[in-house]
Every structure is written in structure tokens, then in C-alpha cells.
Amino acid sequence: MDITIKRKSETFVAEISGLDLSTPLSDADWSMLHRAYLDHKVLIFHDQHLDPSAMARFGERFGEISPHTVRQYRHEDIEGITILSNRIEMGRPKGIRDAGSHWHSDYSYRAIPANVTILYSLETPDEGGDTIVCDMQAAWETLPDATRARLDGLQQQLQYRWCADRDHPESRWRLLNADEQLETPPVTHPVVRTHPETGAKSLYVFSGLTSGVQRILDIPDDESQSLLKTIFTHCEDPRFHYRYKWGGPGDIVLWDNRCTMHHATTDRLPPDKPRTLWRINTIGDKPV
Ligand code: SIN
């Protein structure tokens, strides 16, 4: 079967057909897929049939798989797979009900963040639970020159689920056990990141709670707040966004966290609309 690549949005996202991801990829297919990943940032596949080992084998093509920080939702056979689900089974959540209905980039709170995120759907609702992805390279490139000049070279401090309100139910102080808190100290990353493979610059600062941005460093606090607000408002523009409506079991959506951010919409998904996905993240390079 011929492999086809169809662009879905002006600056990013492509749908690929003609590839069976349940079997090991030939070097030629991997090289094509990897090129498409760099060119389009987000790739969509349909009609895939993966078991946990096949999912892990596919993930390993992108780098070393890194299990989720919250241990409770790791897959029982392959810990690198995180279960995202709003199902309750035997009185217990089957997975993370909402992995982030706010703008974030996976593991940005770690010294070495994620490069790829791969989501594979096992069941999806007819309505709701869409995933939105934002092109952070396009967002960077469309900022006014003066703002880009001010931001380039600045560093930010962030910490997993840091929140000004320690009592927030999803803050690190409420959600993480003692080990998980110790494993997630504050880290410093550039506000503007250069992609290690394409050389392109992207914004690399995210408004969501999981990213836990505390401040931009070495500038007055009020300027830090004002610059963060400018960035977050700019990135809200729908021209940078692509909204994916899950089509049922067997969809795969993957994205490059080094030049995108994403936003789940599962906080508004009612429990009678089950949605279960597997997620894999691999880790890459220290952002520069
Ligand atoms: C995530 O934020 O990693 C998952 C996105 C989703 O569940 O739509």
C-alpha cells in the first residue's frame, strides 16, 4: 500500500496513511516518518492495532521512553505506557482522568523534557475529549520584532504543578506523594528554544498548571508577569491551533513537544462518555 502524507493545517499537522505501526518499521519507512515528524510537528494515523509491546517498540524509535511522574497510572506490564482514562473500574480510576486541560508541553518541568508524545486510542466518545495542539514555532515567528528581541535569551524557572495557591487540588502539594515531590525540583529552561534537529526557534513557556512556571529570571517581577501574559495571550490565537476530534479506537496522534504545546479537553468530559488512551513519552535533549 502506498504511503500518503496529507497536510491538515496551514503551518503544521499531517495525516499519514499506508503505514502499519504494529510491525517493526523498515529503515526507509522510519526515515520517511521521522522527516514528516520534523516537517509537520504533529502526525495523525488511523486504523492502527497496537498491543503494549508494539506501542513501546514504536515509541523507542523516537528515543528513550520515560515513564510518567505519577506512578499510579503506569500500565501494569509496560511502565512507560501511561493510561489516560475517565473510566472507574472497581471503584478506582482506570487512568489519569484529565492529563492536562490547559496549555502545556510534556515533561517541560524536567531538566530533560519529552521530545515525542504518542497517544493511541482504545475507546473514544462520540462527542468531547478533543485534543488541541498549538504550533509554537509559528507563534514565535509572528511575535513583533521588539518582543522577540526582549524574549530571546531569557530563562524561566518552573516546577511540576507549582501553583501560587498551595491548596489547589491539582497543585504539587496536594497531588504528589513525598517521593514524587522530591523527584521534581525546580528547573530552569530558556523561554525561547532552538530545535536540536531543525534549528528553528519556538516559544517554550506554557501557561498550564503542570508546567508550573514561577517566573522569568533576572528581570523585575512585574516585567516577568507582563511578558508571560503577552506570550500566553498571543498563543491563544486560534490560527496557531489544530483541534483533533478522536475518531474511535485505533487512532494515533503524535507530536513534537520541542516546538508545540497541547491542551486536553477532558476536564469537561462526562463519566458516561468513556475515553481511554495510552500515552508514551520519550526524552530528548536539554533545551537550549
Ligand atoms: C496530554 O495532555 O498529554 C493528553 C492529551 C489528551 O488526553 O487529550
Side-chain angles (χ1 to χ4, degrees):
M1 195 175 167
D2 288 344
I3 297 171
T4 57
I5 302 179
K6 190 170 149 202
R7 183 69 162 242
K8 301 292 284 180
S9 162
E10 200 174 316
T11 63
F12 73 144
V13 188
E15 191 172 67
I16 301 194
S17 57
L19 265 184
D20 175 3
L21 301 177
S22 69
T23 55
L25 290 174
S26 67
D27 287 346
D29 283 349
W30 166 250
S31 159
M32 179 280 305
L33 192 150
H34 186 246
R35 188 66 253 162
Y37 163 67
L38 296 180
D39 289 346
H40 305 288
K41 305 184 183 85
V42 182
L43 301 179
I44 299 168
F45 305 82
H46 304 287
D47 301 322
Q48 301 294 323
H49 303 276
L50 303 188
D51 61 20
S53 315
M55 171 105 179
R57 182 176 56 224
F58 179 52
E60 277 160 3
R61 294 304 302 241
F62 292 85
E64 182 193 338
I65 293 176
S66 184
H68 197 274
T69 304
V70 182
R71 292 171 172 72
Q72 188 182 347
Y73 300 116
R74 295 177 182 175
H75 190 285
E76 61 182 5
D77 296 328
I78 297 199
E79 65 164 15
I81 294 179
T82 307
I83 300 172
L84 313 183
S85 183
N86 58 342
R87 269 193 186 277
I88 305 283
E89 284 183 351
M90 302 209 287
R92 288 169 47 111
K94 183 176 169 173
I96 304 181
R97 188 188 64 77
D98 177 23
S101 288
H102 47 237
W103 289 115
H104 65 286
S105 172
D106 288 334
Y107 299 168
S108 68
Y109 55 85
R110 295 187 182 176
I112 310 288
N115 45 26
V116 81
T117 294
I118 306 173
L119 295 181
Y120 171 62
S121 61
L122 301 165
E123 57 178 349
T124 60
D126 296 340
E127 211 188 332
D130 302 350
T131 304
I132 313 167
V133 193
C134 174
D135 184 343
M136 295 298 266
Q137 181 185 334
W140 163 251
E141 287 169 356
T142 50
L143 277 171
D145 287 349
T147 312
R148 294 204 293 169
R150 184 67 188 109
L151 292 177
D152 210 1
L154 292 178
Q155 299 280 320
Q156 62 183 305
Q157 180 165 298
L158 59 155
Q159 186 171 28
Y160 186 47
R161 292 183 181 272
W162 181 89
C163 180
D165 173 9
R166 289 174 75 114
D167 291 328
H168 189 294
E170 292 190 19
S171 75
R172 55 183 291 102
W173 298 278
R174 300 288 296 271
L175 201 84
L176 302 190
N177 67 31
D179 286 346
E180 290 162 353
Q181 288 196 35
L182 273 176
E183 285 164 12
T184 51
V187 297
T188 301
H189 287 318
V191 170
V192 182
R193 173 175 189 180
T194 302
H195 196 290
E197 295 185 83
T198 67
K201 286 186 176 179
S202 293
L203 285 167
Y204 193 70
V205 61
F206 316 103
S207 56
L209 183 84
T210 51
S211 305
V213 178
Q214 294 170 356
R215 52 169 297 129
I216 297 177
L217 297 168
D218 302 323
I219 61 173
D221 200 37
D222 56 349
E223 191 189 2
S224 161
Q225 285 183 26
S226 151
L227 283 175
L228 289 174
K229 192 164 170 223
T230 301
I231 296 170
F232 297 156
T233 306
H234 179 69
C235 292
E236 288 290 338
D237 190 328
R239 76 187 144 135
F240 307 128
H241 302 170
Y242 181 82
R243 185 177 191 110
Y244 185 67
K245 177 167 176 39
W246 292 87
D251 281 0
I252 289 184
V253 178
L254 64 86
W255 56 74
D256 188 340
N257 285 288
R258 300 168 293 187
C259 48
T260 64
M261 64 176 176
H262 57 280
H263 190 307
T265 57
T266 36
D267 58 336
R268 277 163 284 158
L269 193 65
D272 62 344
K273 290 188 177 293
R275 177 187 193 264
T276 303
L277 270 55
W278 287 344
R279 187 178 103 176
I280 273 186
N281 290 106
T282 64
I283 48 167
D285 315 84
K286 181 160 176 46
V288 288

